[in-house]
Amino acid sequence: MSNTGNSLLIFGMGYTAGYLADILRGQGWKVTGTRRSGDAHNLAFADRESVLAAIDSATHILSSVPPDRDTGADPVLDNYGAAIAKAKLAWSGYISATGVYGDTKGAWVDESAPIGGGRRTARAEADENWQKLRSDMRVFRLPGIYGPGRSVFERLQKGVARRIDMPGQVFSRCHVADIASGIIAGFTGPAGAYNLSDDLPCAQNLVLEYACALSGAPLPPLQTVEQAELSPMARKFYSENRRVANGKAKRLLNWQPQYPTYKQGLEAIWKAA
């Protein structure tokens, strides 16, 4: 099927959205993005006339813009939500985060779980508001994102990778290629919320240790949280512990991660470097 008539507007052309845009452009899509400041490929977010025109001409719209850290407000909903709600679209989507589930003390969590009880209350509110905006809305809840140019290898190279002594601490993650394929699968899947995560939640230390084994980099020393001098944001990240289930995306979107564990993902990044 030809994709030449498909036009995607992405609010917030960051790492994940940019990866998705490159794939779709290669498939014949027209992809327009927004950034705080416009450039040759993206509109300035505040250029209201141009953004409204892009909304009007889009067949698909995706927002990857998180709530404002200071106010908690969602800038896309506040500035363009009414226009998006009225737009004649084939599809709409929002990139959320699995932080909306809060701390499950290492237990598995899926899309049936309540949201809003953790550190990401503003994100949970935005998640719910986007779902209410349109009946065709797909919300993709993402865990830790990694991929080419944004992985533990870069942190090792910069000397900022930390091995934290927190027995039992588990995180979920997903390779950016699998996030992109999950969103694309969502183009033809039913509306609703979907977790896009790999099949093997695990301690971050295991990821770091495997990256060191692949690259030959020395293993950072094991440190307490206090010794690691983590930022306030990182401390909040480590305060939550959960395993994110991806079964709904597999069942309803027919999605399968290309990199089902961190090992395959890191191996691919290292080989391509």
Side-chain angles (χ1 to χ4, degrees):
M1 183 178 67
S2 173
N3 290 313
T4 54
N6 289 325
S7 176
L8 172 64
L9 172 61
I10 300 178
F11 285 93
M13 193 63 83
Y15 177 75
T16 300
Y19 194 98
L20 172 66
D22 287 344
I23 292 174
L24 293 177
R25 286 173 180 144
Q27 295 177 358
W29 286 62
K30 176 185 177 182
V31 181
T32 304
T34 72
R35 291 183 182 273
R36 289 182 181 177
S37 299
D39 55 37
H41 304 288
N42 301 283
L43 303 174
F45 181 80
D47 184 351
R48 188 168 181 81
E49 183 177 349
S50 295
V51 174
L52 288 175
I55 292 172
D56 188 55
S57 63
T59 60
H60 296 61
I61 287 179
L62 175 70
S63 176
S64 69
V65 179
D68 185 273
R69 289 182 180 178
D70 296 323
T71 67
D74 186 306
V76 180
L77 286 177
D78 286 352
N79 288 277
Y80 299 108
I84 295 171
K86 296 176 183 178
K88 296 180 180 179
L89 302 172
W91 184 93
S92 60
Y94 173 65
I95 293 179
S96 184
T98 56
V100 298
Y101 296 118
D103 180 25
T104 67
K105 301 189 185 304
W108 286 94
V109 64
D110 65 16
E111 296 87 348
S112 67
I115 65 174
R119 61 190 170 88
R120 306 292 294 276
T121 54
R123 173 68 94 171
E125 184 176 331
D127 184 304
E128 291 181 328
N129 288 337
W130 276 97
Q131 290 188 69
K132 295 174 183 175
L133 188 69
R134 294 180 60 98
S135 61
D136 61 1
M137 186 65 62
R138 283 78 166 169
V139 171
F140 303 97
R141 294 172 181 161
L142 309 184
I145 304 167
Y146 75 102
R150 182 174 165 173
S151 73
V152 66
F153 294 118
E154 285 74 30
R155 296 199 298 277
L156 283 168
Q157 187 176 31
K158 295 175 182 177
V160 297
R162 297 288 181 266
R163 199 158 57 106
I164 310 298
D165 186 15
M166 296 187 71
Q169 190 76 14
V170 176
F171 301 106
S172 290
R173 58 196 55 78
C174 196
H175 192 288
V176 66
D178 289 326
I179 294 171
S181 70
I183 294 172
I184 292 171
F187 289 162
T188 54
Y194 297 94
N195 295 334
L196 297 180
S197 59
D198 73 15
D199 296 338
L200 186 64
C202 70
Q204 185 64 19
N205 287 351
L206 294 179
V207 178
L208 179 58
E209 290 161 9
Y210 196 70
C212 289
L214 286 174
S215 64
L219 193 64
L222 192 64
Q223 297 177 310
T224 65
V225 172
E226 290 72 23
Q227 290 171 330
E229 298 181 342
L230 298 175
S231 67
M233 184 177 295
R235 282 178 176 266
K236 289 180 180 179
F237 178 78
Y238 274 94
S239 71
E240 295 181 351
N241 183 4
R242 62 182 162 267
R243 290 174 167 85
V244 177
N246 60 19
K248 182 181 178 181
K250 289 180 175 179
R251 292 191 308 272
L252 299 187
L253 304 183
N254 197 29
W255 171 75
Q256 289 291 334
Q258 180 181 357
Y259 305 107
T261 81
Y262 67 90
K263 291 186 177 181
Q264 292 97 330
L266 290 181
E267 287 165 5
I269 295 169
W270 181 247
K271 288 177 182 176

